[in-house]
Each structure stands twice: as structure tokens, then as C-alpha cells.
Short mmCIF file of all heavy atoms in Angstrom, two decimals:
data_model
loop_
_atom_site.label_atom_id
_atom_site.label_comp_id
_atom_site.label_asym_id
_atom_site.label_seq_id
_atom_site.Cartn_x
_atom_site.Cartn_y
_atom_site.Cartn_z
N ALA W 256 18.96 3.74 1.40
CA ALA W 256 18.64 3.75 -0.05
C ALA W 256 18.18 2.35 -0.47
O ALA W 256 18.65 1.32 0.06
CB ALA W 256 19.89 4.17 -0.85
N GLN W 257 17.27 2.34 -1.41
CA GLN W 257 16.71 1.07 -1.90
C GLN W 257 16.72 1.13 -3.44
O GLN W 257 16.16 2.07 -4.03
CB GLN W 257 15.29 0.85 -1.39
CG GLN W 257 14.61 -0.39 -1.95
CD GLN W 257 15.23 -1.65 -1.41
OE1 GLN W 257 15.27 -1.91 -0.22
NE2 GLN W 257 15.74 -2.49 -2.29
N VAL W 258 17.34 0.13 -4.03
CA VAL W 258 17.35 0.03 -5.50
C VAL W 258 16.09 -0.71 -5.93
O VAL W 258 15.70 -1.72 -5.32
CB VAL W 258 18.60 -0.66 -5.99
CG1 VAL W 258 18.60 -0.79 -7.53
CG2 VAL W 258 19.84 0.06 -5.55
N TYR W 259 15.47 -0.23 -6.99
CA TYR W 259 14.19 -0.82 -7.44
C TYR W 259 14.41 -2.27 -7.93
O TYR W 259 15.36 -2.60 -8.63
CB TYR W 259 13.60 0.01 -8.57
CG TYR W 259 12.40 -0.65 -9.23
CD1 TYR W 259 11.17 -0.63 -8.58
CD2 TYR W 259 12.52 -1.34 -10.42
CE1 TYR W 259 10.07 -1.24 -9.15
CE2 TYR W 259 11.42 -1.95 -10.98
CZ TYR W 259 10.20 -1.91 -10.33
OH TYR W 259 9.12 -2.53 -10.89
N ARG W 260 13.49 -3.14 -7.46
CA ARG W 260 13.39 -4.48 -7.98
C ARG W 260 11.89 -4.78 -8.25
O ARG W 260 11.03 -4.23 -7.55
CB ARG W 260 13.89 -5.49 -6.92
CG ARG W 260 15.33 -5.30 -6.48
CD ARG W 260 15.80 -6.49 -5.62
NE ARG W 260 14.90 -6.77 -4.54
CZ ARG W 260 14.99 -6.17 -3.34
NH1 ARG W 260 15.93 -5.30 -3.11
NH2 ARG W 260 14.12 -6.49 -2.38
N PRO W 261 11.61 -5.55 -9.25
CA PRO W 261 10.19 -5.80 -9.59
C PRO W 261 9.35 -6.29 -8.45
O PRO W 261 8.18 -5.90 -8.34
CB PRO W 261 10.26 -6.86 -10.73
CG PRO W 261 11.65 -6.64 -11.32
CD PRO W 261 12.54 -6.25 -10.18
N GLU W 262 9.92 -7.09 -7.51
CA GLU W 262 9.10 -7.61 -6.44
C GLU W 262 8.70 -6.53 -5.43
O GLU W 262 7.79 -6.75 -4.63
CB GLU W 262 9.85 -8.75 -5.69
CG GLU W 262 11.23 -8.37 -5.17
CD GLU W 262 12.33 -8.68 -6.13
OE1 GLU W 262 12.04 -8.74 -7.35
OE2 GLU W 262 13.47 -8.89 -5.69
N LEU W 263 9.43 -5.38 -5.45
CA LEU W 263 9.04 -4.30 -4.56
C LEU W 263 7.69 -3.70 -4.91
O LEU W 263 7.00 -3.19 -4.04
CB LEU W 263 10.09 -3.19 -4.59
CG LEU W 263 11.47 -3.49 -3.99
CD1 LEU W 263 12.39 -2.32 -4.14
CD2 LEU W 263 11.34 -3.83 -2.51
N ARG W 264 7.34 -3.77 -6.18
CA ARG W 264 6.14 -3.12 -6.61
C ARG W 264 4.94 -3.67 -5.90
O ARG W 264 4.07 -2.96 -5.39
CB ARG W 264 5.98 -3.28 -8.15
CG ARG W 264 4.74 -2.61 -8.72
CD ARG W 264 4.68 -2.81 -10.22
NE ARG W 264 5.85 -2.20 -10.87
CZ ARG W 264 5.88 -0.91 -11.26
NH1 ARG W 264 4.82 -0.14 -11.06
NH2 ARG W 264 6.95 -0.43 -11.85
N GLU W 265 4.83 -5.03 -5.86
CA GLU W 265 3.70 -5.68 -5.17
C GLU W 265 3.66 -5.33 -3.73
O GLU W 265 2.60 -5.09 -3.15
CB GLU W 265 3.75 -7.16 -5.42
CG GLU W 265 2.56 -7.91 -4.84
CD GLU W 265 2.62 -9.39 -5.15
OE1 GLU W 265 3.49 -9.82 -5.89
OE2 GLU W 265 1.74 -10.12 -4.59
N ARG W 266 4.83 -5.33 -3.09
CA ARG W 266 4.89 -5.09 -1.62
C ARG W 266 4.48 -3.64 -1.30
O ARG W 266 3.67 -3.37 -0.38
CB ARG W 266 6.29 -5.34 -1.10
CG ARG W 266 6.37 -5.32 0.41
CD ARG W 266 7.73 -5.76 0.88
NE ARG W 266 8.76 -4.72 0.66
CZ ARG W 266 10.05 -4.91 0.83
NH1 ARG W 266 10.49 -6.12 1.13
NH2 ARG W 266 10.89 -3.92 0.66
N VAL W 267 5.03 -2.69 -2.08
CA VAL W 267 4.73 -1.30 -1.81
C VAL W 267 3.30 -0.95 -2.16
O VAL W 267 2.57 -0.29 -1.40
CB VAL W 267 5.70 -0.40 -2.56
CG1 VAL W 267 5.27 1.09 -2.50
CG2 VAL W 267 7.11 -0.54 -1.99
N LEU W 268 2.86 -1.38 -3.37
CA LEU W 268 1.49 -1.10 -3.75
C LEU W 268 0.50 -1.78 -2.80
O LEU W 268 -0.57 -1.24 -2.54
CB LEU W 268 1.29 -1.57 -5.18
CG LEU W 268 2.08 -0.79 -6.25
CD1 LEU W 268 1.74 -1.29 -7.65
CD2 LEU W 268 1.80 0.73 -6.13
N GLY W 269 0.88 -2.96 -2.28
CA GLY W 269 0.02 -3.61 -1.30
C GLY W 269 -0.09 -2.77 -0.05
O GLY W 269 -1.13 -2.65 0.60
N GLY W 270 1.06 -2.18 0.38
CA GLY W 270 1.02 -1.28 1.55
C GLY W 270 0.17 -0.06 1.31
O GLY W 270 -0.57 0.38 2.19
N LEU W 271 0.25 0.51 0.11
CA LEU W 271 -0.59 1.66 -0.21
C LEU W 271 -2.05 1.29 -0.22
O LEU W 271 -2.91 2.09 0.20
CB LEU W 271 -0.18 2.24 -1.56
CG LEU W 271 1.25 2.87 -1.61
CD1 LEU W 271 1.58 3.34 -3.05
CD2 LEU W 271 1.38 4.04 -0.62
N THR W 272 -2.34 0.12 -0.72
CA THR W 272 -3.74 -0.33 -0.72
C THR W 272 -4.23 -0.49 0.72
O THR W 272 -5.36 -0.12 1.03
CB THR W 272 -3.85 -1.68 -1.47
OG1 THR W 272 -3.43 -1.52 -2.81
CG2 THR W 272 -5.28 -2.20 -1.42
N MET W 273 -3.35 -1.02 1.58
CA MET W 273 -3.74 -1.20 3.00
C MET W 273 -3.98 0.17 3.64
O MET W 273 -4.91 0.33 4.48
CB MET W 273 -2.64 -1.98 3.73
CG MET W 273 -3.00 -2.35 5.13
SD MET W 273 -1.82 -3.48 5.87
CE MET W 273 -2.22 -5.03 5.00
N GLN W 274 -3.18 1.17 3.28
CA GLN W 274 -3.38 2.52 3.84
C GLN W 274 -4.74 3.05 3.41
O GLN W 274 -5.48 3.67 4.22
CB GLN W 274 -2.28 3.45 3.38
CG GLN W 274 -0.90 3.15 3.98
CD GLN W 274 0.14 4.13 3.48
OE1 GLN W 274 -0.16 5.20 3.02
NE2 GLN W 274 1.42 3.71 3.61
N GLN W 275 -5.09 2.86 2.17
CA GLN W 275 -6.39 3.30 1.68
C GLN W 275 -7.54 2.60 2.39
O GLN W 275 -8.57 3.22 2.75
CB GLN W 275 -6.50 3.11 0.18
CG GLN W 275 -5.51 3.93 -0.62
CD GLN W 275 -5.51 3.58 -2.09
OE1 GLN W 275 -6.19 2.67 -2.52
NE2 GLN W 275 -4.73 4.29 -2.90
N GLU W 276 -7.38 1.31 2.63
CA GLU W 276 -8.42 0.55 3.33
C GLU W 276 -8.54 1.00 4.78
O GLU W 276 -9.66 1.13 5.34
CB GLU W 276 -8.11 -0.94 3.28
CG GLU W 276 -8.26 -1.54 1.85
CD GLU W 276 -7.77 -2.99 1.80
OE1 GLU W 276 -7.00 -3.43 2.69
OE2 GLU W 276 -8.19 -3.69 0.88
N LEU W 277 -7.39 1.29 5.42
CA LEU W 277 -7.45 1.80 6.78
C LEU W 277 -8.15 3.18 6.83
O LEU W 277 -8.93 3.46 7.79
CB LEU W 277 -6.04 1.92 7.34
CG LEU W 277 -5.41 0.69 7.96
CD1 LEU W 277 -3.92 0.91 8.23
CD2 LEU W 277 -6.16 0.29 9.22
N ARG W 278 -7.86 3.99 5.85
CA ARG W 278 -8.49 5.30 5.84
C ARG W 278 -10.02 5.16 5.71
O ARG W 278 -10.77 5.84 6.43
CB ARG W 278 -7.92 6.13 4.68
CG ARG W 278 -8.52 7.57 4.59
CD ARG W 278 -7.80 8.38 3.53
NE ARG W 278 -6.52 8.80 4.02
CZ ARG W 278 -5.35 8.30 3.56
NH1 ARG W 278 -5.40 7.33 2.63
NH2 ARG W 278 -4.22 8.71 4.00
N ARG W 279 -10.46 4.31 4.83
CA ARG W 279 -11.92 4.09 4.68
C ARG W 279 -12.49 3.51 5.94
O ARG W 279 -13.61 3.85 6.33
CB ARG W 279 -12.16 3.17 3.46
CG ARG W 279 -11.78 3.79 2.11
CD ARG W 279 -12.01 2.77 1.01
NE ARG W 279 -13.42 2.35 0.94
CZ ARG W 279 -13.89 1.36 0.23
NH1 ARG W 279 -13.01 0.58 -0.45
NH2 ARG W 279 -15.14 1.06 0.22
N LEU W 280 -11.74 2.60 6.58
CA LEU W 280 -12.25 1.93 7.79
C LEU W 280 -12.43 2.94 8.92
O LEU W 280 -13.44 3.00 9.61
CB LEU W 280 -11.29 0.83 8.18
CG LEU W 280 -11.58 0.07 9.50
CD1 LEU W 280 -12.95 -0.59 9.38
CD2 LEU W 280 -10.52 -1.01 9.74
N LEU W 281 -11.40 3.79 9.12
CA LEU W 281 -11.43 4.73 10.27
C LEU W 281 -12.34 5.93 9.97
O LEU W 281 -12.86 6.55 10.92
CB LEU W 281 -10.01 5.23 10.57
CG LEU W 281 -9.09 4.16 11.14
CD1 LEU W 281 -7.66 4.67 11.21
CD2 LEU W 281 -9.56 3.76 12.56
N LEU W 282 -12.60 6.17 8.72
CA LEU W 282 -13.50 7.29 8.38
C LEU W 282 -14.92 6.79 8.12
O LEU W 282 -15.79 7.52 7.68
CB LEU W 282 -13.01 8.01 7.13
CG LEU W 282 -11.66 8.74 7.27
CD1 LEU W 282 -11.25 9.40 5.96
CD2 LEU W 282 -11.72 9.79 8.38
N HIS W 283 -15.13 5.49 8.37
CA HIS W 283 -16.44 4.85 8.23
C HIS W 283 -16.96 5.00 6.77
O HIS W 283 -18.12 5.32 6.55
CB HIS W 283 -17.46 5.44 9.21
CG HIS W 283 -16.98 5.41 10.64
ND1 HIS W 283 -16.84 4.25 11.35
CD2 HIS W 283 -16.59 6.42 11.46
CE1 HIS W 283 -16.39 4.53 12.54
NE2 HIS W 283 -16.21 5.83 12.67
N ASP W 284 -16.03 4.82 5.84
CA ASP W 284 -16.36 4.99 4.45
C ASP W 284 -16.27 3.66 3.70
O ASP W 284 -15.77 3.55 2.59
CB ASP W 284 -15.42 6.00 3.80
CG ASP W 284 -15.82 6.34 2.36
OD1 ASP W 284 -17.03 6.21 2.05
OD2 ASP W 284 -14.94 6.71 1.57
N GLY W 285 -16.77 2.61 4.32
CA GLY W 285 -16.71 1.28 3.70
C GLY W 285 -17.38 0.26 4.58
O GLY W 285 -17.41 0.40 5.81
#
């Protein structure tokens, strides 16, 4: 379990951004 802290937002959203970039990279969409 993880309790929300403001600093988690940047880390998690950064990870989601990285997933989107990987998807575009592997699908040759960027």
C-alpha cells in the first residue's frame, strides 16, 4: 500500500509519460 504524497505525482506521471513515449517509439509513431 502507498499513501499519496504530492511528490508521487511527478514520479508517476513521469512514468506514464515514458510509457506513452515508448509506445510511440515502438509503433514508429514519432
